[in-house]
Amino acid sequence: MTASIIPELEFSIIVPAFNEESLLPGTLDAAHRAREACAATESSEILVVDNNSTDRTAAVAREHGARVVFE
């Protein structure tokens, strides 16, 4: 299977996560600030790779504007 490429994205911030419900909000807030600081909010994404978490990691990531994929 070929991965789809989104040509309008310049870069992705990738956050690996396993049961990070409590720490993820601060991490994602910092990632959003970094994107804003380099004026890349439209040309970048924040991607959380959920490694089969048993807590609300994926939900918290989505609530904070991240795209979530599962490993």
Side-chain angles (χ1 to χ4, degrees), residues 14-32 46-50 53 55-64 66-68:
I14 301 170
V15 180
F18 175 71
N19 290 340
E20 298 293 342
E21 174 182 6
S22 63
L23 297 176
L24 203 51
T27 300
L28 295 177
D29 289 345
H32 283 295
I46 299 172
L47 176 67
V48 172
V49 181
D50 184 354
S53 296
D55 64 0
R56 294 188 65 250
T57 292
V60 169
R62 284 189 200 95
E63 290 166 5
H64 284 82
R67 186 166 67 97
V68 177

Side-chain angles (χ1 to χ4, degrees), residues 26 28-38:
L28 295 177
D29 289 345
H32 283 295
R33 285 192 305 273
R35 288 174 65 212
E36 291 168 3
C38 64

